[in-house]
C-alpha cells in the first residue's frame, strides 16, 4: 500500500508563519486558563492589539460581487460545492432522481483519502454475520460529542448508513469493481478493551482494470481508494452531472441575508472570471474542512498549535463552505471544534508515516521515562494524553514477542496489521533512527535519551503488573499488558497528527443548514465536513470508518432531499 510519506506537513513548518507564529493569546487562554471563557480571551486579544478588539478576518463578510463583474451565468436545479466523498454522493443521489446537477470543485480533479467505510447494518456486514446495535452506536457518538452534537443528525448515520453502503457497493460492482475484503467482527473487536469498539467497517474494493490510469495519482490508500473515486466520478458523469474543476465557490446568493439561497458565485482560477450559477432547488456545501486555514484553526481549535503534523498538507481545505455559510447568517458548531487527532506522527521525521506496529497499545513513557496513562484508548484520547506531557510526545516501547502479541490485539483502522504493517518499513525506520533497537533496557534508554534508572524502574513496574494480571496503575486490560522481557527491545518517539477538522455549519436531520436561531435557511444544505451537529469533543475511532460513512450518508441524504425541492 502507498504510504503517507509525501503527505506529512510538520507542525513547525505549518505554524511558524501567520497567526500561529503570533502571540497566540487565544490559544494561551484556552490551553492554560480555565473558567474565564471567550470574554477573557477577547480582552486579552484587545490588549495584545493595543486596545483594539481583534475579530478574525474570516468572520467579516465581503462585499457582494456586483452583476457587472459576472462574466457568465448558468442555471441548474442543484449546485454542489466540492468533489469529494460527500459532494459526489450528493451529486449521484440527486442526479439519479432527475435533478440537473452542477458540481464545482476548487482543485483540478476529485479528492479522496483512504478507504475505511463505516456504516451500521449493511447487507455486506450481514453477509459475514455482523449485526450492530445502532442505538448503542448513537449513544456512543453522543457521549464522545459531550452531548454538544444533535442526536437526530447522529441517528441519520446510525439508521441510514447501511442502505447508503448498499447503494455504493451496488454502484461499484456495476462498474466492475470487486470486493477485496469484508471486515468481520472478530477482526475489529478485541476480546477485551478499555472502551467499547463497534464493528462498523464494511468492505474494501479493488478497482476495475484501467481505472488507475484515468484517475488522479497519489491517492492515499492506493487501489481501494481509487476504486471508490472511480465509482463515484464515473457514475456522476454517466448521470450527466456538469463538472467544473478549478472553480472555487466564493459567495452564496442570499440578498440581505433573508429568504432563500438562490445560487452562488464561483471564480474560474484559470482566467479569474466570475461565474454566477442559479440554483432552482438548492445549493449543497460539501467543500471539506478548514485544516489549511491557520486563522480558523487558531480560532476554533487552539490545541492544533500543539500537534506535530498536518497529515494532508496543501492549500485547498480552507473552510470555504463554512465561511460562505457564516456570511449569509448560518450557525456553526460551538467552539472548540473537534479535530481528528491520531497518535500517528514520528516526532523526528513527520514526512514518514508510522507503521501500525509502532502504534500498538505498548508501554508508553514520557520524556522523563515515566508511564503516564492507559495505552489502550481511542486515537483522540491517546493524543489528549500526550499533549499533557513534556514535549507533547511519548516513547512507545515493545519487545521481540510482538509477532505473537499483535494478532490478539484486534486494533482497528490504521492500527490494524493486515493492511497497515510492512516489515520492510520497520527495517527502514531502524536504519533511519526513527525506531531505536537495543539488547537491554539500559541501552534503549541511552539511545532514546531517557533517564536510565527511571526507565528501568518503569519497565520493572510494568512487567510486575503484567504478570500480576491487573494494571493497578491505569487499569489497562490484561490482554494489552505484555511484559518487556525478550530482547531486542524497540522504541519509537511519537506525537500527534491532525487529519481533518470536524466543525461545521449547524444542520437538521434533513441536512438543511440552520441559522443562529436554528431556523432553516431555505435552499441551503451541507454534508461531510462542511456540516456540523455530529461531532462535539473527540473523534471516536472506536466506531471505525464513521467519518467516511458520515460523508457518504449525509451527502446522499442532502442530494435526495434537495432533489425533492420544488
Amino acid at each position: 500500500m502507498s504510504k503517507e510519506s509525501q503527505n506529512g506537513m510538520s507542525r513547525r513548518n505549518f505554524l511558524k508563519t501567520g497567526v500561529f507564529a503570533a502571540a497566540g493569546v487565544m490559544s494561551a487562554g484556552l490551553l492554560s486558563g480555565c473558567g474565564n471563557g471567550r470574554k477573557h480571551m477577547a480582552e486579552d486579544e484587545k490588549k495584545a492589539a493595543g486596545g483594539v478588539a481583534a475579530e478574525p478576518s474570516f468572520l467579516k463578510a465581503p462585499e457582494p460581487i456586483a452583476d457587472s463583474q459576472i462574466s457568465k451565468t448558468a442555471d441548474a436545479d442543484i449546485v454542489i460545492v466540492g468533489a469529494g466523498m460527500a459532494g459526489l454522493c450528493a451529486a449521484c443521489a440527486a442526479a439519479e432522481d432527475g435533478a440537473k446537477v452542477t458540481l464545482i470543485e476548487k482543485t483540478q480533479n476529485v479528492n479522496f483519502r483512504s478507504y475505511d467505510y463505516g456504516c451500521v447494518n449493511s447487507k455486506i456486514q450481514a453477509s459475514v454475520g455482523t449485526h450492530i446495535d445502532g442505538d448503542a452506536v448513537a449513544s456512543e457518538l453522543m457521549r464522545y460529542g459531550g452531548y454538544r452534537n444533535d442526536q437526530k443528525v447522529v441517528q441519520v448515520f446510525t439508521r441510514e448508513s447501511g442502505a447508503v453502503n448498499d447503494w455504493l457497493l451496488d454502484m461499484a460492482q456495476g462498474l466492475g469493481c470487486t470486493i477485496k475484503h469484508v471486515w468481520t467482527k472478530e477482526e475489529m473487536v478485541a476480546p477485551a478493551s478499555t472502551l467499547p469498539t463497534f464493528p462498523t467497517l464494511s468492505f474494501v474494493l479493488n478497482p476495475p482494470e484501467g481505472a488507475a490510469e484515468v484517475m488522479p495519482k497519489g491517492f492515499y490508500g492506493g487501489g481501494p481508494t481509487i476504486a471508490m473515486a472511480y465509482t463515484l466520478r464515473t457514475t456522476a458523469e454517466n448521470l450527466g452531472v456538469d463538472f467544473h474543476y478549478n472553480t472555487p465557490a466564493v459567495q452564496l446568493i442570499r440578498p440581505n441575508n433573508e429568504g432563500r439561497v438562490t445560487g452562488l458565485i464561483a471564480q474560474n482560477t484559470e482566467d479569474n472570471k466570475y461565474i454566477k450559477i442559479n440554483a432552482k432547488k438548492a445549493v449543497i456545501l460539501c467543500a471539506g474542512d478548514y485544516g489549511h486555514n491557520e486563522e480558523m484553526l487558531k480560532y476554533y481549535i487552539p490545541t492544533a498549535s500543539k500537534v506535530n503534523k498536518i497529515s494532508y498538507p496543501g492549500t485547498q481545505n480552507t473552510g470555504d463552505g463554512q465561511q460562505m455559510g457564516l456570511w449569509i447568517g448560518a450557525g456553526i458548531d460551538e467552539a472548540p471544534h473537534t479535530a481528528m487527532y491520531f497518535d500517528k506522527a514520528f516526532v523526528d521525521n513527520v514526512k514518514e508515516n508510522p507503521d501500525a506496529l509502532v502504534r500498538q497499545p505498548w508501554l508508553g513513557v514520557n520524556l522523563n521515562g515515566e508511564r503516564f496513562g492507559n495505552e489502550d484508548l481511542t486515537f483522540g484520547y491517546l493524543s489528549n494524553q500526550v499533549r499533557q506531557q513534556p514535549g507533547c510526545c511519548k516513547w512507545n516501547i515493545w519487545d521481540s514477542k510482538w509477532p505473537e502479541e499483535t494478532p490478539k490485539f484486534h486494533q482497528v483502522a490504521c492500527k490494524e496489521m493486515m493492511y497497515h504493517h510492512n516489515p520492510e518499513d520497520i527495517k527502514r525506520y531502524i536504519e533511519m533512527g526513527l525506531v531505536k533497537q537495543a539488547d537491554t533496557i539500559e541501552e534503549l534508554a541511552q539511545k532514546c535519551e531517557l533517564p536510565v534508572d527511571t526507565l528501568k524502574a518503569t519497565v520493572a513496574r510494568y512487567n510486575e503488573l503484567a504478570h500480576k494480571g491487573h494494571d493497578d496503575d491505569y487499569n489497562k486490560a490484561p490482554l494489552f499488558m505484555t511484559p518487556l522481557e525478550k530482547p531486542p527491545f524497540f522504541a519509537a518517539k511519537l506525537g500527534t497528527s491532525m487529519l481533518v477538522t470536524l466543525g461545521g455549519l449547524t444542520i437538521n436531520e434533513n441536512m438543511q443548514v440552520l441559522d443562529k436561531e436554528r431556523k432553516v435557511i431555505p435552499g441551503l444544505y451541507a454534508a461531510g465536513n462542511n456540516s456540523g451537529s455530529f461531532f462535539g469533543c473527540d473523534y471516536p475511532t472506536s466506531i471505525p470508518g464513521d467519518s467516511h460513512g458520515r460523508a457518504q450518508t449525509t451527502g446522499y441524504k442532502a442530494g435526495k432531499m434537495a432533489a425533492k425541492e420544488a
Side-chain angles (χ1 to χ4, degrees):
M1 173 185 294
S2 63
K3 287 287 183 178
E4 206 174 328
S5 299
Q6 295 82 25
N7 290 339
M9 178 188 290
S10 72
R11 177 183 63 87
R12 181 176 301 169
N13 289 337
F14 182 70
L15 306 180
K16 70 181 180 181
T17 59
V19 294
F20 275 116
V25 175
M26 182 169 289
S27 296
L30 279 182
L31 294 172
S32 61
C34 297
N36 293 319
R38 283 197 174 275
K39 181 177 179 181
H40 170 73
M41 287 185 287
E43 291 172 353
D44 283 348
E45 281 195 317
K46 185 175 180 179
K47 293 175 184 177
V52 179
E55 182 182 42
S57 63
F58 69 85
L59 292 178
K60 301 172 185 177
E63 290 296 319
I65 295 168
D67 287 342
S68 61
Q69 296 177 271
I70 304 298
S71 65
K72 178 183 177 182
T73 300
D75 298 301
D77 292 333
I78 297 170
V79 183
I80 298 173
V81 182
M85 184 75 77
L88 282 165
C89 284
C92 293
E96 71 179 10
D97 282 358
K100 179 184 177 184
V101 178
T102 294
L103 192 155
I104 62 172
E105 164 57 37
K106 187 176 188 177
T107 67
Q108 69 273 18
N109 214 313
V110 298
N111 291 280
F112 283 75
R113 301 165 176 170
S114 198
Y115 52 83
D116 289 334
Y117 308 132
C119 65
V120 178
N121 296 326
S122 67
K123 291 178 181 178
I124 199 69
Q125 289 172 329
S127 74
V128 294
T130 298
H131 176 76
I132 304 166
D133 184 341
D135 290 341
V137 174
S139 294
E140 193 72 347
L141 284 165
M142 294 304 297
R143 185 178 70 82
Y144 272 94
Y147 278 80
R148 298 199 301 153
N149 39 358
D150 186 323
Q151 190 157 341
K152 286 187 176 181
V153 175
V154 167
Q155 288 173 170
V156 171
F157 170 73
T158 59
R159 296 177 179 179
E160 301 178 29
S161 60
V164 175
N165 190 267
D166 298 339
W167 173 74
L168 285 164
L169 184 55
D170 288 345
M171 189 188 303
Q173 290 180 311
L175 289 170
C177 295
T178 57
I179 296 174
K180 180 175 183 177
H181 185 69
V182 179
W183 294 103
T184 66
K185 180 178 179 181
E186 290 71 27
E187 290 171 321
M188 290 180 277
V189 180
S193 60
T194 303
L195 299 167
T197 299
F198 295 86
T200 45
L201 288 179
S202 55
F203 55 80
V204 180
L205 293 174
N206 280 318
E209 186 177 351
E213 286 70 35
V214 298
M215 296 305 295
K217 309 302 179 187
F219 280 143
Y220 176 60
T225 306
I226 290 170
M228 183 58 72
Y230 174 81
T231 294
L232 285 167
R233 191 184 76 173
T234 302
T235 300
E237 291 171 344
N238 291 343
L239 288 167
V241 172
D242 182 22
F243 282 81
H244 292 262
Y245 296 110
N246 299 308
T247 307
V250 292
Q251 288 183 7
L252 296 171
I253 302 172
R254 192 191 189 204
N256 301 315
N257 288 356
E258 296 178 349
R260 188 176 193 84
V261 171
T262 59
L264 57 76
I265 296 171
Q267 186 174 27
N268 187 311
T269 57
E270 295 177 349
D271 59 17
N272 293 322
K273 292 183 178 180
Y274 290 115
I275 305 167
K276 180 179 180 180
I277 309 176
N278 297 312
K280 179 181 177 182
K281 293 178 179 289
V283 172
I284 306 177
L285 297 174
C286 303
D289 76 312
Y290 55 83
H292 303 147
N293 187 316
E294 298 176 16
E295 190 177 27
M296 291 185 76
L297 281 176
K298 178 188 175 184
Y299 189 74
Y300 287 123
I301 310 177
T303 54
S305 65
K306 284 190 166 187
V307 305
N308 302 87
K309 172 180 178 179
I310 306 294
S311 286
Y312 302 116
T315 59
Q316 67 268 32
N317 290 335
T318 51
D320 301 358
Q322 287 89 340
Q323 292 179 60
M324 289 188 294
L326 288 168
W327 296 339
I328 57 96
I332 194 167
D333 287 338
E334 178 186 66
H337 290 172
T338 305
M340 190 183 293
Y341 286 153
F342 281 18
D343 54 322
K344 193 182 180 186
F346 281 123
V347 172
D348 296 323
N349 188 338
V350 297
K351 291 183 178 181
E352 287 289 338
N353 185 39
D355 182 276
L357 174 62
V358 310
R359 299 176 59 220
Q360 299 299 298
W362 310 120
L363 167 65
V365 302
N366 61 21
L367 297 183
N368 297 325
E370 303 163 331
R371 188 179 180 214
F372 55 86
N374 184 335
E375 298 91 351
D376 172 41
L377 298 175
T378 53
F379 305 175
Y381 284 176
L382 287 170
S383 300
N384 291 347
Q385 280 187 338
V386 167
R387 289 200 314 276
Q388 316 313 313
Q389 301 307 309
C392 300
C393 63
K394 65 175 178 177
W395 284 93
N396 270 4
I397 302 174
W398 66 101
D399 72 2
S400 294
K401 302 189 308 300
W402 68 263
E404 298 87 54
E405 294 164 345
T406 54
K408 302 174 185 177
F409 292 166
H410 296 264
Q411 296 295 287
V412 298
C414 54
K415 282 191 182 180
E416 62 81 25
M417 296 284 284
M418 184 186 305
Y419 294 116
H420 296 274
H421 168 59
N422 183 345
E424 294 303 313
D425 283 339
I426 301 299
K427 292 178 182 177
R428 185 165 52 84
Y429 298 158
I430 293 172
E431 292 172 358
M432 297 173 67
L434 296 176
V435 169
K436 309 296 185 183
Q437 178 178 332
D439 290 328
T440 66
I441 295 299
E442 180 176 357
E443 181 188 1
L444 190 70
Q446 292 170 345
K447 287 188 173 183
C448 298
E449 299 181 357
L450 295 171
V452 173
D453 290 341
T454 303
L455 184 62
K456 288 173 66 176
T458 297
V459 171
R461 170 65 173 169
Y462 190 78
N463 288 349
E464 173 193 345
L465 297 176
H467 288 297
K468 180 180 180 181
H470 187 271
D471 180 7
D472 294 345
D473 293 344
Y474 296 108
N475 199 33
K476 184 165 75 169
L479 174 66
F480 307 111
M481 292 292 292
T482 53
L484 297 166
E485 296 172 332
K486 183 179 179 181
F489 303 98
F490 305 91
K493 189 178 184 181
L494 300 176
T496 301
S497 172
M498 186 183 79
L499 279 71
V500 294
T501 65
L502 296 167
L505 303 175
T506 50
I507 58 171
N508 63 16
E509 66 271 26
N510 294 320
M511 309 300 114
Q512 294 169 294
V513 175
L514 308 177
D515 67 16
K516 295 177 179 64
E517 304 302 321
R518 295 192 61 81
K519 295 179 181 178
V520 169
I521 297 177
L524 186 62
Y525 294 77
N529 289 336
N530 258 178
S531 64
S533 307
F534 193 89
F535 297 106
C537 296
D538 293 282
Y539 178 70
T541 50
S542 56
I543 306 170
D546 61 329
S547 177
H548 281 140
R550 165 189 175 238
Q552 293 164 346
T553 306
T554 57
Y556 175 89
K557 182 147 193 176
K560 291 298 184 185
M561 298 305 296
K564 293 179 181 179
E565 295 263 3

